[in-house]
Amino acid sequence: MCSSDLGLIWTVRSGRGRTGTVPRVATGGVIPRTVAAGESPFGVPLPATGTGPAVLKPATTPLGMFFGLVFVALFWNGIVSVFVWQMVAGWRRGEPDGCLTAFLIPFVLIGLGLIYAMARQFLVLFNPRPSITLTPGVLAPGQTAFLQWRLGSGGRGVSRMLITLQGREEAQYRRGTDNYTDRETFFTLPVVDSTQPYELAEGGSASFALPAGTVPSFRSTHNKIVWTLKVNCELPRWPDTEEEYEVIV
């Protein structure tokens, strides 16, 4: 890793554990700068919008999440069912295998949990979908940004709308033959918290600003600084909508 990468990662780690603070670039580290559209500072490609408005796209759509859960649930339960069938057959023959039964219990519970998650995500497909527009499309520390939001279907059933800007560090490492990713949120800024029926039906707007010296977006082989807008739509007696939109700082 080059010296600039080390300076940036050290900056984020030095800011851990501080409530309401943003890590700043250390002396000798990388200084955030103004970049042209299409340029890639710190390994992060910039969107073509530059300083213009950008309609954000969620990292994962509810439909994509649903099909992903269907695949995982079918794969997991398909394998577990083979051993469950052998266990049941043994009990029917009067030759119960207590060790196999005890061994399979946690795997069966995980399978049931996946089925529950799949059913819950199916209900989320019918929730109003948020539409988020950010101006400018690339955030700059110390400058004011404007966010416009609107819920599909007139916000039907939504009782509360929450939008939060978060910054997190992701570090990938290898332990033995397995790969792991650690994630730690180092910055949180509430942007929208609305329970007004008019806003939920017609949409609304908000402004916010990152403090000067905020750590910019960064991406290398094993480390990332990721900035996201997290959207949560609360619905009484129904699964909430939770979506994440990545933004570039």
Side-chain angles (χ1 to χ4, degrees):
M1 180 181 292
C2 65
S3 59
S4 62
D5 291 0
L6 290 172
L8 184 57
I9 299 302
W10 176 88
T11 299
V12 177
R13 293 188 180 279
S14 66
R16 288 179 176 176
R18 303 177 186 175
T19 303
T21 62
V22 183
R24 297 176 180 271
V25 177
T27 304
V30 180
I31 305 299
R33 58 188 178 85
T34 302
V35 292
E39 197 175 348
S40 301
F42 311 123
V44 182
L46 290 179
T49 54
T51 58
V55 178
L56 304 183
K57 302 295 183 183
T60 305
T61 65
L63 186 61
M65 179 68 72
F66 172 71
F67 282 123
L69 286 171
V70 169
F71 173 79
V72 174
L74 290 176
F75 178 79
W76 181 274
N77 288 293
I79 294 177
V80 173
S81 64
V82 175
F83 298 96
V84 171
W85 176 258
Q86 293 179 354
M87 179 196 69
V88 172
W91 281 88
R92 286 181 174 179
R93 292 194 305 267
E95 301 174 357
D97 189 336
C99 292
L100 178 61
T101 302
F103 177 78
L104 288 177
I105 288 176
F107 293 93
V108 171
L109 292 177
I110 293 174
L112 293 175
L114 288 171
I115 293 174
Y116 169 79
M118 182 181 65
R120 181 185 183 280
Q121 187 61 31
F122 177 76
L123 297 178
V124 172
L125 296 179
F126 301 96
N127 289 1
R129 292 290 311 282
S131 174
I132 308 294
T133 302
L134 184 64
T135 306
V138 177
L139 301 180
Q143 296 183 7
T144 300
F146 299 91
L147 182 146
Q148 293 177 301
W149 59 271
R150 187 179 180 88
L151 292 174
S153 304
R156 183 184 64 250
V158 177
S159 62
R160 187 182 184 188
M161 175 79 165
L162 294 169
I163 302 179
T164 306
L165 178 67
Q166 292 187 355
R168 70 172 180 264
E169 177 190 5
E170 297 184 4
Q172 296 180 347
Y173 60 95
R174 191 175 185 86
R175 182 182 297 167
T177 59
D178 298 324
N179 293 321
Y180 296 86
T181 300
D182 284 342
R183 296 177 175 86
E184 182 171 347
T185 300
F186 60 83
F187 178 81
T188 300
L189 175 67
V191 178
V192 173
D193 186 352
S194 177
T195 58
Q196 299 299 319
Y198 175 79
E199 282 191 336
L200 296 174
E202 301 295 332
S205 61
S207 62
F208 63 95
L210 285 170
T214 297
V215 175
S217 301
F218 170 79
R219 184 173 299 165
S220 67
T221 304
H222 301 291
N223 299 88
K224 294 180 183 179
I225 301 296
V226 181
W227 290 89
T228 62
L229 283 168
K230 290 186 174 292
V231 179
N232 181 269
C233 301
E234 297 183 0
L235 293 89
R237 299 178 298 278
W238 195 265
D240 297 342
T241 296
E242 297 178 356
E243 293 191 355
E244 181 177 281
Y245 302 78
E246 184 173 357
V247 297
I248 306 300
V249 175

